Amino acid sequence: MTTKKYELVELDSGRKSAMEARSGTLGPDCLNIAGLSKDLGLFTFDPGFMATAACESRVTFIDGDEGVLLYRGYPIEQIATKSSFIEVAYLLIHGELPTSQQLEQFDHAIRYHTMINESLLRFFNGFHHDAHPMAMVSAVIASMAAFYHDSMDNHNPRHREIFAHRILAKIPTIAAASFKHNRGQPFIYPRNDLDYCSNMLRMFFATPAAEYEVDPVAAQALDLLLILHADHEQNASTSTVRLAGSTGTNPYAAISSGVSALWGPAHGGANEAVLAMLEEIGTVDNIQKFLARVKDKQGNTKLMGFGHRVYKNFDPRAKIIREMCHKVLARLGHTDNPLFELALRLEEIALKDEYFIARKLYPNVDFYSGVIYSALGIPRSMFTVMFAIARTAGWVAHWQEMIADPAMKIGRPRQLYTGPVQREYVDIEKRD
Ligand code: SDX
């Protein structure tokens, strides 16, 4: 780890602050600004954390200019073609690819933790039939803290391992329960003899009235989507899990805060918004009119699924999902999928438009994912839930990395205060 030296000089007074920048294994050097407030009484000001490293991490690396995404050093393109979501979850959490025995033990632990407490199932009866599944999933995960609070010592590695197994195993079951609640259908219990994605599809689509056979093409497509959504460095929801977790709160409560942050349309909620946008555009003929609204910034209309805080090039995940669309839609018999055709034309037109070129706006992970979820029969309201299921692996990995770090401190940002200076209280009689 090399360091470079910097010095900040206050020109009026000549006061100085010496600083050092640490280099990581990849990516920009990071300037340690601890001395600034001590030497010069300064804070840094970086709304939205555009250029602020909030922590040190070894989990995932992104190069936004080159469109690179590495999970524990492995390129997403290799992971996507060679791995499985369960193996990726192990890699993200433990830092290394598992041996066959480690993978078998991890997979077994998850397969045998998929059921949820029956009283948790009764929570769903309290939700309105059309409650948004993200609201139900966030609430029910938070309530898991009530079941596992007394037996959870964040600093006990075995407790952290059991937490990881439980939350990865149970979030598909909770997602399925919210899906069935929306549909007014009976809950379908998980089965230990099915793999992660087959179990999920069966809990979503099986009914007591008929036999249900999982389509292996659908299970494989779902597994790839989970892999691509599993982690993404210090994104808003992961940073939320880290900040909540830094207070020492129950890890289920921290994961629930991540679900809530992910829901926003600027983040994971974009996949649901992309489908709404495509349905609103309707046909290729309407694309230019829609893009004109985006460029005129009427009512803050965005081209959903485009743009990214880090990627100023293609999001590598979007490229993989676009290719996947071609294959999966054909194998599912959706060759003439109008939504996909519209999305392809919209991307083609936007990428040639100066407005998007000048702002380096490219398709991100959310632009095409909904096309596949739709082809799998998953409704738009469940798209971000699918994202949350996948991202739970990343949230767990980052929470564990932070909690296991003896140097961990509670996150507590400061501010640039521009409110009133001190003033005296005025009794109400004198205010009228
Ligand atoms: C995810 O961080 C992660 O890693 C997230 C994620 C993950 O895996 O965790 O990758 C998942 O959240 C992907 C992003 C999903 N969101 C969307 O698709 C929503 C649409 N995109 C935008 O809201 C936006 O691009 C953001 C929020 C994703 C990024 O916003 P930034 O980095 O704050 O950029 P910005 O808003 O400052 O935009 C710069 C310019 C602005 O124009 P000007 O003021 O310079 O004229 O680009 C414009 C913006 O108005 N712009 C867009 C746009 N995105 C940015 N204009 C139209 N459509 C868009 N989608």
Side-chain angles (χ1 to χ4, degrees):
M1 208 75 84
T2 61
T3 57
K4 290 193 187 93
K5 297 194 182 309
Y6 293 80
E7 185 172 76
L8 185 69
V9 182
E10 189 178 64
L11 294 176
D12 298 347
S13 65
R15 289 192 305 157
K16 297 175 182 177
S17 177
M19 290 172 278
E20 281 195 348
R22 278 178 60 198
S23 61
T25 42
L26 291 170
D29 292 353
C30 292
L31 190 66
N32 185 330
I33 56 163
L36 273 184
S37 52
K38 180 168 59 64
D39 300 341
L40 301 176
L42 289 176
F43 290 156
T44 56
F45 185 60
D46 185 18
F49 309 113
M50 304 288 279
T52 292
C55 63
E56 178 179 333
S57 180
R58 292 166 299 284
V59 180
T60 291
F61 175 73
I62 305 170
D63 181 327
D65 295 328
E66 299 303 318
V68 170
L69 169 55
L70 308 177
Y71 285 169
R72 295 286 188 179
Y74 296 100
I76 192 65
E77 294 79 5
Q78 294 179 26
I79 291 278
T81 52
K82 299 172 185 289
S83 191
S84 67
F85 175 68
I86 291 298
E87 182 178 78
V88 165
Y90 183 98
L91 170 65
L92 291 170
I93 293 167
H94 294 280
E96 297 296 337
L97 287 168
T99 62
S100 48
Q101 186 189 17
Q102 287 167 331
L103 181 58
E104 194 276 330
Q105 287 169 348
F106 186 69
D107 182 66
H108 183 276
I110 287 171
R111 280 176 187 250
Y112 284 79
H113 275 90
T114 51
M115 287 180 70
I116 58 176
N117 190 298
E118 285 293 302
S119 41
L120 264 187
L121 271 182
R122 286 193 287 275
F123 273 51
F124 289 90
N125 298 332
F127 293 112
H128 203 263
H129 70 89
D130 61 356
H132 195 289
M134 280 297 278
M136 292 192 268
V137 168
S138 170
V140 174
I141 286 178
S143 61
M144 286 174 76
F147 289 85
Y148 304 115
H149 187 68
D150 298 336
S151 61
M152 183 72 219
D153 169 7
N154 291 356
H155 299 289
N156 180 324
R158 179 61 183 146
H159 287 196
R160 295 203 295 267
E161 184 181 34
I162 293 171
F163 153 69
H165 295 159
R166 276 186 177 136
I167 191 68
L168 283 167
K170 296 177 192 310
I171 189 166
T173 308
I174 292 167
S178 63
F179 182 35
K180 288 306 203 183
H181 184 71
N182 281 159
R183 288 206 151 173
Q185 290 181 348
F187 172 68
I188 299 293
Y189 283 88
R191 288 209 343 221
N192 299 338
D193 62 327
L194 294 176
D195 65 66
Y196 200 75
C197 289
S198 300
N199 213 359
M200 206 183 315
L201 289 168
R202 183 177 168 279
M203 289 192 282
F204 283 3
F205 299 114
T207 66
E211 285 307 312
Y212 177 80
E213 194 173 327
V214 176
D215 177 348
V217 172
Q220 189 186 14
L222 185 52
D223 197 68
L224 178 50
L225 285 171
L226 295 184
I227 288 173
L228 294 172
H229 288 80
D231 193 51
H232 213 238
E233 199 214 64
Q234 304 308 322
N235 58 86
S237 54
T238 299
S239 298
T240 301
V241 170
R242 278 181 172 263
L243 188 58
S246 73
T247 68
T249 191
N250 182 291
Y252 298 97
I255 296 294
S256 173
S257 68
V259 175
S260 301
L262 184 74
W263 193 6
H267 189 14
N271 56 17
E272 180 178 347
V274 167
L275 253 288
M277 174 186 74
L278 292 174
E279 285 167 4
E280 180 197 340
I281 294 172
T283 64
V284 172
D285 299 343
N286 293 335
I287 288 178
Q288 287 296 3
K289 190 165 54 172
F290 176 80
L291 291 181
R293 270 175 49 205
V294 170
K295 293 184 281 186
D296 294 346
K297 299 192 178 184
Q298 288 174 30
N300 196 26
T301 303
K302 296 274 190 199
L303 177 53
M304 299 310 280
F306 257 64
H308 199 279
R309 172 59 58 74
V310 176
Y311 289 125
K312 301 307 173 188
N313 195 325
F314 263 92
D315 180 333
R317 302 166 298 175
K319 283 202 270 191
I320 296 169
I321 294 177
R322 184 179 55 198
E323 285 320 306
M324 188 179 148
C325 281
H326 287 292
K327 286 184 222 149
V328 169
L329 294 176
R331 291 178 67 183
L332 289 174
H334 293 245
T335 40
D336 59 344
N337 184 299
L339 274 181
F340 182 43
E341 295 312 318
L342 182 60
L344 286 170
R345 289 286 294 128
L346 179 56
E347 175 194 352
E348 183 190 340
I349 294 169
L351 289 181
K352 290 175 186 159
D353 187 305
E354 189 44 39
Y355 181 93
F356 298 94
I357 295 169
R359 291 165 177 80
K360 297 185 177 180
L361 302 176
Y362 291 86
N364 59 51
V365 68
D366 293 308
F367 189 66
Y368 286 106
S369 55
V371 172
I372 297 184
Y373 287 136
S374 291
L376 297 178
I378 295 169
R380 197 194 314 165
S381 61
M382 284 290 291
F383 289 179
T384 312
V385 172
M386 304 313 292
F387 197 146
I389 292 169
R391 191 52 56 88
T392 296
W395 292 333
V396 168
H398 284 275
W399 178 82
Q400 300 233 18
E401 180 178 65
M402 177 186 69
I403 292 289
D405 179 355
M408 182 194 91
K409 297 176 80 63
I410 186 171
R412 205 285 185 210
R414 300 306 303 274
Q415 64 179 6
L416 170 66
Y417 177 71
T418 55
V421 296
Q422 183 168 323
R423 52 184 173 165
E424 297 305 307
Y425 183 84
V426 178
D427 293 333
I428 192 158
E429 299 77 27
K430 294 178 183 160
R431 288 179 230 154
D432 299 334

